[in-house]
């Protein structure tokens, strides 16, 4: 009798700064029994060629741009690596910069808002018709970005708003990108709004008090959403059908 192979229990956590944290997403994955393999290509970490030990990949945000591949070796490394993850059928989740890197890897574009507006603070997003399978209703989400995405035809738009029309998308069966930050805890908000206080002066940004006072109102629904999403995302492992992931098909 053939014994089924055990499913991998390790998640690749890709961050962009020495002190970056996986926050709520990391805690929820650890609670499910996954070990987190923290990688930071910007600090010289090599990304794994063999993905057989990994149940998924999460790439988080950072202050750099997905267009910095000409000046930052770490960003170029990630852009070269992401198509290999997708082709291998490994579940991929990109948050903020991680979503923008997926966009570029899929053939899309990343650029600033045409009027220089940012999304820093709590922002409304709306699921598309296709996105209601993943996001049931409009949500207030936490944002911290100054660039947005233009998707290629191979990607399916899942969530949108007026200022930055691409808020969530899927590339193939199990690679997802979300412009917002479901991982950010109150402690992380306190640090971000202090260490990067100059960003709060940018057009469209909310003041520090809004970031902190609205946490108890808006984060519980976001917490419940990402908790449920992670189970469904991890269940999309396509390693038995890698060709579908490679083609970007549904």
């Amino acid at each position: 009798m053939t014994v089924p192979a055990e499913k991998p229990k390790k998640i690749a956590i890709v961050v962009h700064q020495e002190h970056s944290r996986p926050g709520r997403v990391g805690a929820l994955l650890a609670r499910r029994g996954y070990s987190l393999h923290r990688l930071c290509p910007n600090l010289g970490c090599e990304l794994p060629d063999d993905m057989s030990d990994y149940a998924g990949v999460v790439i988080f945000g950072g202050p750099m741009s997905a267009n910095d591949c000409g000046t930052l070796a770490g960003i170029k490394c990630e852009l070269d690596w992401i198509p290999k993850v997708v082709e291998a059928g490994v579940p991929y989740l990109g948050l903020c910069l991680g979503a923008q890197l997926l966009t570029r890897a899929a053939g899309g574009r990343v650029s600033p808002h045409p009027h220089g507006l940012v999304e820093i603070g709590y922002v409304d997003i709306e699921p598309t018709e296709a996105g209601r399978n993943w996001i049931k209703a409009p949500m207030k989400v936490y944002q911290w970005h100054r660039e947005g995405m233009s998707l290629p035809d191979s990607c399916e738009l899942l969530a949108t708003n007026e200022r930055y029309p691409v808020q969530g998308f899927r590339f193939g069966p199990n690679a997802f990108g979300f412009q917002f930050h479901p991982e950010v805890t109150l402690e992380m908000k306190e640090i971000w709004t202090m260490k990067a206080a100059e960003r709060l002066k940018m057009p469209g940004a909310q003041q520090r008090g809004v970031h902190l006072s609205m946490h108890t109102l808006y984060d519980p629904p976001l917490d419940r959403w990402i908790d449920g999403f992670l189970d469904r995302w991890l269940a999309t492992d396509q390693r038995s059908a890698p060709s579908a992931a490679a083609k970007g098909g549904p």
Side-chain angles (χ1 to χ4, degrees):
M1 183 176 68
T2 302
V3 178
E6 288 189 14
K7 291 186 177 180
K9 295 295 289 185
K10 185 163 63 173
I11 303 287
I13 298 291
V14 182
V15 297
H16 296 96
Q17 299 180 97
E18 183 178 358
H19 301 294
S20 297
R21 308 179 187 179
R24 181 186 291 121
V25 167
L28 289 170
L29 290 169
R31 191 183 303 169
R32 286 163 166 79
Y34 292 95
S35 62
L36 308 182
H37 184 194
R38 188 179 187 275
L39 299 160
C40 187
N42 282 335
L43 296 179
C45 292
E46 292 187 5
L47 296 171
D49 288 325
D50 182 3
M51 297 301 299
S52 59
D53 288 339
Y54 294 89
V57 170
V58 187
I59 297 187
F60 289 87
M64 57 287 296
S65 170
N67 297 317
D68 286 343
C69 50
T71 56
L72 292 177
I75 294 298
K76 183 180 186 305
C77 178
E78 290 179 53
L79 284 171
D80 291 341
W81 183 65
I82 290 169
K84 300 175 186 177
V85 174
V86 176
E87 185 174 355
V90 179
Y92 175 100
L93 175 59
L95 302 176
C96 198
L97 176 57
Q100 295 171 354
L101 288 164
L102 178 61
T103 298
R104 287 213 57 206
R109 293 183 295 108
V110 173
S111 58
H113 189 277
H115 303 298
L117 299 177
V118 302
E119 288 183 322
I120 296 178
Y122 285 98
V123 174
D124 291 304
I125 65 165
E126 182 98 19
T128 63
E129 184 174 351
R132 289 192 187 96
N133 188 41
W134 297 94
I135 301 172
K136 298 300 182 186
M139 285 197 304
K140 188 83 74 171
V141 297
Y142 191 70
Q143 302 268 23
W144 195 289
H145 69 101
R146 55 183 175 176
E147 291 186 306
M149 301 172 276
S150 298
L151 297 178
D153 291 342
S154 56
C155 293
E156 180 180 49
L157 183 66
L158 302 179
T160 187
N161 71 14
E162 186 173 346
R163 183 175 295 181
Y164 280 92
V166 180
Q167 293 289 336
F169 69 97
R170 183 174 70 165
F171 175 50
N174 64 350
F176 291 83
F178 295 106
Q179 183 62 78
F180 51 95
H181 285 281
E183 82 280 14
V184 177
T185 63
L186 178 58
E187 181 185 6
M188 292 167 71
K189 291 184 179 75
E190 290 172 340
I191 294 171
W192 289 13
T193 54
M194 286 290 290
K195 288 191 173 181
E198 72 281 357
R199 297 284 183 95
L200 306 183
K201 300 175 183 178
M202 299 178 76
Q206 295 168 358
Q207 296 308 299
R208 186 169 192 260
V210 177
H211 293 239
L212 304 183
S213 64
M214 294 293 101
H215 178 88
T216 55
L217 178 62
Y218 297 132
D219 273 48
L222 187 57
D223 192 4
R224 291 190 293 271
W225 173 77
I226 190 62
D227 193 13
F229 172 84
L230 288 174
D231 285 331
R232 297 183 62 201
W233 168 68
L234 288 163
T236 63
D237 196 313
Q238 292 288 308
R239 271 169 278 198
S240 62
S243 60
K247 294 176 182 177

